[in-house]
Amino acid sequence: MLKPKILIVIGTRPEAIKMAPIVLELQSRSDEFRPIVCATAQHREMLDQVLQLFGITPDYDLNLMKPGQTLAMVTSRAIEGLDRVLIEAQPDLTLVQGDTTSAMCGALASHYRQVLVGHVEAGLRTGNKYAPFPEEMNRRLIGRLADLHFPPTTHARDILLREHTDPGMVFLTGNTVIDALLWVRDHVEKSPPQFPQSLLDSMKGKQVVLVTGHRRESFGDGFEDLCRAIRDLADQHEDAQFVYPMHLNPNVREPVNRVLAGHERISLIEPLSYEPFVWLMNRSTIVLTDSGGVQEEAPSLGKPVLVMRETTERPEGVDAGNARLVGTNYDKIVQHVSLLLREPSERNKMAAVNNPYGDGTASKRIADSIAEYFESV
Ligand code: UD1
Ligand code: UDP
């Protein structure tokens, strides 16, 4: 087929970071592809930060986000909005990324219109339908709906093959987050981002613990426990600064502000644009997170990462020695963070630079695989 029209669906911050390299790759190969971008805008401010950084202007913007939205609200509005886009744009292939509600709706709405679906970051599984919630089920559903599958690692590829996915439609590519990370790291090295002087002063001469947390399954007791652990750690470690760029979800901000505000060794800041966030990851001593993307980025930067989850669909970082699972358990978080802050040898064990998630060429591989597929039909 000559120049397939490819609809790229982007809903949230991490999808934008991981889809941006693909959008730029497809745009740069305009003799081969006709890419169109639809932002569901399941996220607003956090999505716009990324789109602006990569210079991407969506062709369609569904402007979905409502404060405190429920899963059902996002799902119904996304399906309806995406259906309108599919009718108008008539794509040959829809690309969705990962496991968000926008991605699941992009796959389902495309299936309803009998449009082919490509799944970027396919094959990740924890095996527990409620962890992460609802992402584990979203990605399993997308796996069933998709035609082309782009697993990032051999582990993810093998899972798809065990699920009897057509091997001829599974393309091992690496994770595009590494493409984005390397691009941004080079930028940041050339021109370091600006930070408020007060934040720079608070980190000066200190170990830095970078914290991010936003998972739904941790709302309530999980967040209470992890926040108490961070507060007590900040009391105990006078040589450390805890920096927490807070997700905009009110379910996150309420406990974080209530338990952690007002401590001189805890900096609660607004979500950072990707460039300053990468700079801060590079500056940090340890990363404490429940994020999927951050778990993938930290090994490339040689940063020890403690994962505040009971289980992970990204075992490669744990196997490589960069990551340890601590859950949202108060004792485990205090014990592991303290150990890493006090013992350089423990940090060094986890700090080797590893790239289990990709080599920075995933978006090219995905574009090549799509081209190959359309040449064959
Ligand atoms: C979503 C994804 C999750 C992903 C995360 C990345 C689903 C079910 N969840 O979770 O997989 O890891 O994004 O961050 O798809 N908000 C704003 N402005 C923003 C973004 C969010 O105000 O730019 C607030 C709003 O009140 C919104 C709430 O956060 O209602 C929750 O956003 P939502 O996308 O529903 O869930 P996340 O927890 O962000
Ligand atoms: N990130 C960012 N600014 C922040 C926090 C995170 O740019 O303040 C980036 C981070 O580098 C990673 C992505 O956002 O690439 C992860 O997003 P998030 O944790 O919201 O979602 P998840 O990866 O868990 O789905």
Side-chain angles (χ1 to χ4, degrees), residues 91-167:
D92 301 301
L93 171 73
T94 301
L95 277 186
V96 298
Q97 195 284 333
D99 51 22
T100 67
T101 297
S102 291
M104 190 271 287
C105 292
L108 187 57
S110 299
H111 174 66
Y112 287 160
R113 291 278 164 200
Q114 298 191 12
V115 172
L116 288 177
V117 175
H119 188 200
V120 176
E121 198 181 81
L124 278 63
R125 303 283 185 272
T126 61
N128 177 345
K129 73 193 262 195
Y130 293 114
F133 173 81
E135 291 82 3
E136 172 73 4
M137 195 46 82
N138 282 345
R139 58 194 171 218
R140 287 196 217 172
L141 294 171
I142 298 169
R144 307 317 299 173
L145 293 164
D147 301 283
L148 283 77
H149 306 258
F150 304 107
T153 64
T154 52
H155 178 80
R157 179 199 58 195
D158 292 347
I159 288 175
L160 291 171
L161 298 180
R162 278 204 299 278
E163 291 177 358
H164 306 293
T165 314
D166 176 357

Side-chain angles (χ1 to χ4, degrees), residues 290-346:
D290 64 15
S291 160
V294 176
Q295 274 181 78
E296 292 156 344
E297 292 160 344
S300 280
L301 301 175
K303 296 296 169 186
V305 53
L306 297 175
V307 181
M308 294 189 288
R309 298 201 199 177
E310 302 305 325
T311 173
T312 181
E313 62 288 306
R314 294 167 169 94
E316 296 87 349
V318 179
D319 294 344
N322 297 90
R324 290 179 190 164
L325 291 180
V326 295
T328 53
N329 179 283
Y330 172 93
D331 292 325
K332 274 198 191 167
I333 295 173
V334 170
Q335 180 202 330
H336 282 269
V337 173
S338 294
L339 182 70
L340 290 178
L341 286 176
R342 291 207 175 104
E343 300 291 341
S345 61
E346 286 294 323

Side-chain angles (χ1 to χ4, degrees), residues 13-14 17 214-215 245 271-274 277 281 291-294 297:
R13 167 173 68 189
I17 291 170
H214 68 84
R215 300 243 79 87
L272 290 169
S273 181
Y274 192 41
F277 187 78
M281 251 194 302
S291 160
V294 176
E297 292 160 344

Side-chain angles (χ1 to χ4, degrees), residues 42-46 66 68-69 101 135 214-215 247:
Q42 174 181 336
H43 281 180
R44 190 70 274 173
E45 303 88 326
M46 287 160 56
K66 298 266 183 240
Q69 61 205 5
T101 297
E135 291 82 3
H214 68 84
R215 300 243 79 87
H247 193 288

Side-chain angles (χ1 to χ4, degrees), residues 73-374:
M73 275 162 72
V74 181
T75 304
S76 57
R77 286 157 53 79
I79 295 268
E80 281 190 43
L82 284 162
D83 190 46
R84 286 193 295 274
V85 173
L86 286 158
I87 292 169
E88 193 180 310
Q90 299 281 320
D92 301 301
L93 171 73
T94 301
L95 277 186
V96 298
Q97 195 284 333
D99 51 22
T100 67
T101 297
S102 291
M104 190 271 287
C105 292
L108 187 57
S110 299
H111 174 66
Y112 287 160
R113 291 278 164 200
Q114 298 191 12
V115 172
L116 288 177
V117 175
H119 188 200
V120 176
E121 198 181 81
L124 278 63
R125 303 283 185 272
T126 61
N128 177 345
K129 73 193 262 195
Y130 293 114
F133 173 81
E135 291 82 3
E136 172 73 4
M137 195 46 82
N138 282 345
R139 58 194 171 218
R140 287 196 217 172
L141 294 171
I142 298 169
R144 307 317 299 173
L145 293 164
D147 301 283
L148 283 77
H149 306 258
F150 304 107
T153 64
T154 52
H155 178 80
R157 179 199 58 195
D158 292 347
I159 288 175
L160 291 171
L161 298 180
R162 278 204 299 278
E163 291 177 358
H164 306 293
T165 314
D166 176 357
M169 299 294 263
V170 176
F171 305 90
L172 178 63
T173 59
N175 198 311
T176 55
V177 77
I178 306 299
D179 305 21
L181 177 69
L182 297 183
W183 186 85
V184 165
R185 196 184 57 183
D186 288 349
H187 251 234
V188 166
E189 270 166 18
K190 281 183 211 132
S191 59
Q194 299 290 306
F195 281 95
Q197 196 54 44
S198 54
L199 180 65
L200 293 174
D201 289 345
S202 74
M203 297 191 288
K204 206 167 181 179
K206 286 197 194 156
Q207 308 198 80
V208 170
V209 182
L210 174 61
V211 186
T212 80
H214 68 84
R215 300 243 79 87
R216 273 186 165 67
E217 66 274 16
S218 303
F219 290 169
D221 291 348
F223 260 91
E224 296 292 333
D225 289 352
L226 75 88
C227 288
R228 274 195 309 116
I230 292 166
R231 185 156 189 118
D232 289 356
L233 282 161
D235 283 341
Q236 292 159 20
H237 294 271
E238 289 183 10
D239 61 341
Q241 189 69 23
F242 292 75
V243 182
Y244 191 155
M246 288 179 293
H247 193 288
L248 292 176
N249 194 328
N251 294 307
V252 173
R253 294 172 81 89
E254 190 283 319
V256 169
N257 273 312
R258 174 165 43 78
V259 182
L260 299 181
H263 195 297
E264 63 170 330
R265 286 189 290 282
I266 301 175
S267 308
L268 300 182
I269 60 175
E270 292 307 314
L272 290 169
S273 181
Y274 192 41
E275 281 177 304
F277 187 78
V278 170
W279 183 92
L280 196 55
M281 251 194 302
N282 238 336
R283 165 69 182 83
S284 65
T285 318
I286 310 170
V287 180
L288 180 61
T289 188
D290 64 15
S291 160
V294 176
Q295 274 181 78
E296 292 156 344
E297 292 160 344
S300 280
L301 301 175
K303 296 296 169 186
V305 53
L306 297 175
V307 181
M308 294 189 288
R309 298 201 199 177
E310 302 305 325
T311 173
T312 181
E313 62 288 306
R314 294 167 169 94
E316 296 87 349
V318 179
D319 294 344
N322 297 90
R324 290 179 190 164
L325 291 180
V326 295
T328 53
N329 179 283
Y330 172 93
D331 292 325
K332 274 198 191 167
I333 295 173
V334 170
Q335 180 202 330
H336 282 269
V337 173
S338 294
L339 182 70
L340 290 178
L341 286 176
R342 291 207 175 104
E343 300 291 341
S345 61
E346 286 294 323
R347 286 203 297 280
N348 292 341
K349 274 193 225 163
M350 298 179 72
V353 174
N354 275 309
N355 285 323
Y357 299 107
D359 61 4
T361 61
S363 43
K364 181 177 180 312
R365 289 200 184 132
I366 289 168
D368 289 347
S369 308
I370 295 172
E372 192 187 308
Y373 171 78
F374 279 104

